[in-house]
Amino acid sequence: MSAVSPLARLDGVLHHLGLAPPQPPAGVASAAERGEILAGLLQPQAALSPKYFYDQRGSELFEAITRLPEYYPTRTERALLRRHGHAIAQAVGPARVVIEPGAGNCDKARELCALVRATHFVGVDISADYLRDAIARLRVALPGLHARAVGADITRGVHLPPDVPGARRLVFYPGSSIGNFDPPQALALLRHMRELALDDGGLLIGFDLPKDVAVLEAAYDDAAGVTAAFNRNALAHVNRLVGSDFVPAQWRHRAFFNPHASRIEMHLEAAGPQRVRWPGGGRDFAAGERIHTENSYKYPLPDFTALLHDAGFTRTQAWTDDRGWFAMVHAQA
Ligand code: AVJ
């Protein structure tokens, strides 16, 4: 007898056929998701996965973050892609299929697909409606490109549609999204990307480097309060997903660098005592108690290339900006 649940088995069969697993209706959590959210909220140190930032409003708020003066990663990475575009295209070679987990607004995909003359693009994102609009705009900008959207949670594995060509793939993972995972999870995700790339493909990945703490902390606690709104919005999203009654305005945004783990941590801190209820349960929070909502790891370049080699990539080539704030690495399968 196998211990695998019928649903997990269905997932496996669908994966084998190259089909995506069934998605619950938008805005309602599946049983697994609900269990994961509530278990996190009930831990002694309450926690919520950063993937719950990204409902429609959260995706829009994140886009606003990328334009903030304090938030350097997006514009530093874009400048790297432009400045070293020729060398990056050379390292990548003639990629045919660009696959972007967590594609979001597909802005970077447009530049990259043009740069490497891709014929196919597959964007994967947990915020499926937001992604579909972005893909529609991408098709207008690059009419020759076969572009498609896959709505999925990449931490549960990326299931590609069956007709995605299996040669010369480039997995594109920009924006320092890898920083959301702790190093063992990051390694597992990089191994999964190595599998997606097949034996003649590669990975082009952007990640954030350690730097002055004041620069880091300002980037995650901006003067206009956009990051604070982004952090609190996770509670509104969770309210819709599990039927809880969090009052987002009662939670303070906290963001600080943890030097021991080399990561920015974001938390929501109860402004006063909170009684939160959801169907079947709830939790009381004392004033000052926190929900840990995000980690954003900052890797020194040699540590990150070591991780890529552990994940099964062979050659790596890196580009960084003059200030040494951000890095882009191409890793060959
Ligand atoms: C999307 C994970 C790259 O860690 O910088 C931005 C998310 N959180 N501001 C990051 C984020 C707060 C972002 N990543």
Side-chain angles (χ1 to χ4, degrees), residues 85-175:
H86 187 73
I88 291 171
Q90 198 104 37
V92 166
R96 282 223 302 148
V97 189
V98 171
I99 301 161
E100 185 177 354
N105 67 10
C106 295
D107 261 10
K108 292 166 190 161
R110 182 173 22 168
E111 277 190 43
L112 185 79
C113 288
L115 185 68
V116 303
R117 301 173 199 284
T119 54
H120 292 70
F121 175 76
V122 185
V124 185
D125 205 284
I126 194 165
S127 190
D129 295 338
Y130 187 79
L131 176 66
R132 261 187 285 278
D133 293 348
I135 294 281
R137 290 194 302 274
L138 184 64
R139 289 200 183 112
V140 173
L142 298 175
L145 185 72
H146 299 269
R148 58 196 302 173
V150 173
D153 174 357
I154 64 159
T155 64
R156 296 180 196 274
V158 174
H159 308 279
L160 294 179
D163 53 333
V164 173
R168 300 232 46 107
R169 289 181 176 174
L170 178 69
V171 179
F172 182 42
Y173 201 47

Side-chain angles (χ1 to χ4, degrees), residues 14 17 21 53 193 209 222 238 328:
L14 289 172
L17 296 170
F53 288 138
M193 292 180 185
L209 299 165
D222 62 282
V238 163
M328 181 123 259

Side-chain angles (χ1 to χ4, degrees), residues 54 62 65 71 175-177 180 219-220 227 230 266 294 296 298:
Y54 301 96
F62 179 67
I65 287 174
Y71 193 76
S176 188
S177 302
N180 268 171
Y220 292 85
T227 310
F230 173 73
M266 295 212 316
E294 183 169 48
S296 187
K298 312 303 171 186

Side-chain angles (χ1 to χ4, degrees), residues 15-285:
H15 185 180
H16 188 73
L17 296 170
L19 299 171
Q23 300 284 317
V28 180
S30 65
E33 218 176 4
R34 184 184 173 81
E36 181 186 289
I37 293 169
L38 297 181
L41 291 174
L42 289 169
Q43 284 174 167
Q45 160 65 76
L48 183 64
S49 164
K51 67 190 173 197
Y52 298 111
F53 288 138
Y54 301 96
D55 60 355
Q56 177 76 23
R57 176 167 164 73
S59 296
E60 288 166 7
L61 283 167
F62 179 67
E63 201 172 325
I65 287 174
T66 65
R67 290 192 292 263
L68 291 170
E70 297 96 331
Y71 193 76
Y72 59 85
T74 311
R75 73 177 65 86
T76 308
E77 183 178 55
R78 186 182 310 118
L80 272 180
L81 255 181
R82 290 195 180 153
R83 176 160 174 201
H84 300 289
H86 187 73
I88 291 171
Q90 198 104 37
V92 166
R96 282 223 302 148
V97 189
V98 171
I99 301 161
E100 185 177 354
N105 67 10
C106 295
D107 261 10
K108 292 166 190 161
R110 182 173 22 168
E111 277 190 43
L112 185 79
C113 288
L115 185 68
V116 303
R117 301 173 199 284
T119 54
H120 292 70
F121 175 76
V122 185
V124 185
D125 205 284
I126 194 165
S127 190
D129 295 338
Y130 187 79
L131 176 66
R132 261 187 285 278
D133 293 348
I135 294 281
R137 290 194 302 274
L138 184 64
R139 289 200 183 112
V140 173
L142 298 175
L145 185 72
H146 299 269
R148 58 196 302 173
V150 173
D153 174 357
I154 64 159
T155 64
R156 296 180 196 274
V158 174
H159 308 279
L160 294 179
D163 53 333
V164 173
R168 300 232 46 107
R169 289 181 176 174
L170 178 69
V171 179
F172 182 42
Y173 201 47
S176 188
S177 302
I178 193 73
N180 268 171
F181 304 96
D182 65 29
Q185 291 172 327
L187 180 60
L189 195 56
L190 292 173
R191 288 204 167 117
H192 182 57
M193 292 180 185
R194 165 64 188 81
E195 279 171 26
L196 283 177
L198 306 175
D199 284 342
D200 66 346
L203 167 68
L204 184 65
I205 186 164
F207 62 95
D208 203 11
L209 299 165
K211 62 183 65 60
D212 187 73
V213 172
V215 173
L216 281 171
E217 291 186 342
Y220 292 85
D221 193 7
D222 62 282
V226 180
T227 310
F230 173 73
N231 199 3
R232 276 189 208 102
N233 177 65
L235 297 180
H237 188 200
V238 163
N239 282 346
R240 288 202 314 281
L241 286 170
V242 305
S244 52
D245 61 357
F246 280 101
V247 181
Q250 291 295 314
W251 295 80
R252 295 201 177 108
H253 172 64
R254 294 281 180 247
F256 55 87
F257 187 65
N258 172 344
H260 307 291
S262 191
R263 69 190 190 200
I264 284 280
E265 294 187 13
M266 295 212 316
H267 298 251
L268 288 163
E269 186 179 289
Q274 305 292 313
R275 169 154 291 179
V276 182
R277 292 286 166 260
W278 52 77
R283 174 173 182 168
D284 290 342
F285 293 88

